[in-house]
Amino acid sequence: MDAKNTRIAVVTGAGSGVGRAVAGELLRAGWSVALAGRRAEALEETAALTPRGTSLTVRTDVSRPQDVTALFAAVRERFGRLDLLFNNAGTFGPGGVPFEDLPYEAWRHVVDTNLNGAFLCAQAAYRQMKEQRPQGGRIINNGSVSAHTPRPLSAPYTATKHALTGLTKSLSLDGRAYGIAVGQIDIGNAATEMTARMQTGALQANGEIAPEPVMDVADVARTVRHMAELPLEANVQFATVLATAMPYVGRG
């Protein structure tokens, strides 16, 4: 891919896990990628994994409007346009806390990161994609299988992922007139730092603790790349990628 035709992506939560894997997959495929996340050193580590790639690291807390504004301004200044936002930053929040004991601050932190952060980034990307010439681009939101079926004691995370599905559908509709394609990937048990506990034991709907199968996060990254590289006339609206034997179908 020559420089003139290089595609530009923003990946949030790029310092670890799914974000790091997707960023690396895109960089190796010739994309230029803006790596966004709260930990500057982790972003630099992600960039170093693909030294031949063209990356820009921008320390960003997606729950802070000023950080998001600065991120997309940096992308515009460095690359001039935007072809893809992978809206990935997120948090599980406190695990194993009964709903009646959940502190409001914990609820608010999950909502601010998973939902408000996704809104802020999507809005900034949408504005740029609408204004740029040629017009258009793609937004891929990182949902979760929890957008369909919850785990026990996961109200904040599950609520935000259901809301993200609504955001995806609404933006997909609103973006049609501007060549902005919007889709969502719902991931189940990709092997990352966030899911390490799944292999040792996760709370099941019947109250038992049981280990769960996981899958290689690289398989998620390849799926995101496939979605990202479709022509804007085609869109994967929703994709579910999960460990084959995880307790999802029939959960509960």
Side-chain angles (χ1 to χ4, degrees):
M1 189 183 300
D2 60 50
K4 183 177 178 181
N5 296 316
T6 296
R7 287 167 286 191
I8 312 302
V10 170
V11 176
T12 66
S16 63
V18 169
R20 173 172 283 181
V22 169
E25 180 73 17
L26 294 174
L27 285 165
R28 288 188 294 274
W31 288 67
S32 294
V33 183
L35 309 170
R38 291 180 300 158
R39 297 175 295 137
E41 63 280 5
L43 298 177
E44 295 295 343
E45 290 172 3
T46 298
L49 293 174
T50 315
R52 294 185 180 180
T54 302
S55 60
L56 170 69
T57 61
V58 185
R59 187 184 179 282
T60 309
D61 181 340
V62 296
S63 70
R64 296 168 56 88
Q66 60 269 36
D67 281 18
V68 174
T69 298
L71 166 64
F72 285 87
V75 171
R76 188 180 300 108
E77 180 179 352
R78 171 73 179 275
F79 299 115
R81 66 173 287 109
L82 176 64
D83 299 293
L84 171 70
L85 164 65
F86 181 45
N87 226 350
N88 167 71
T91 180
F92 280 140
V97 179
F99 182 72
E100 66 273 21
D101 296 329
L102 185 72
Y104 174 71
E105 293 75 14
W107 168 273
R108 180 65 184 268
H109 174 65
V110 177
V111 171
D112 280 345
T113 303
N114 294 6
L115 180 57
N116 294 342
F119 157 74
L120 290 169
C121 291
Q123 185 180 60
Y126 188 98
R127 285 171 174 161
Q128 184 164 341
M129 291 170 179
K130 180 180 176 181
E131 294 168 0
Q132 65 193 9
R133 295 294 181 270
Q135 193 178 59
R138 190 180 305 274
I139 298 170
I140 301 174
N141 292 323
N142 186 351
S144 169
V145 294
S146 292
H148 308 277
T149 305
R151 288 186 177 277
L153 306 179
S154 68
Y157 183 78
T158 297
T160 57
K161 293 304 184 179
H162 274 70
L164 199 60
T165 297
L167 180 66
T168 298
K169 291 179 178 179
S170 186
L171 285 180
S172 182
L173 177 60
D174 294 345
R176 288 177 184 174
Y178 310 111
I180 300 171
V182 185
Q184 181 169 313
I185 184 167
D186 295 326
I187 302 166
N189 285 19
T192 68
E193 300 92 326
M194 286 182 69
T195 60
R197 62 187 177 86
M198 302 298 177
Q199 298 177 72
T200 57
L203 181 63
Q204 305 298 306
N206 63 2
E208 294 181 357
I209 303 294
E212 295 187 9
V214 297
M215 63 175 170
D216 192 333
V217 70
D219 294 319
V220 174
R222 283 191 288 270
T223 303
V224 173
R225 178 186 165 194
H226 168 71
M227 295 168 70
E229 292 186 343
L230 288 171
L232 291 176
E233 293 76 20
N235 187 40
V236 176
Q237 187 70 75
F238 291 96
T240 303
V241 183
L242 71 164
T244 303
M246 72 171 287
Y248 166 62
V249 176
R251 184 190 290 181

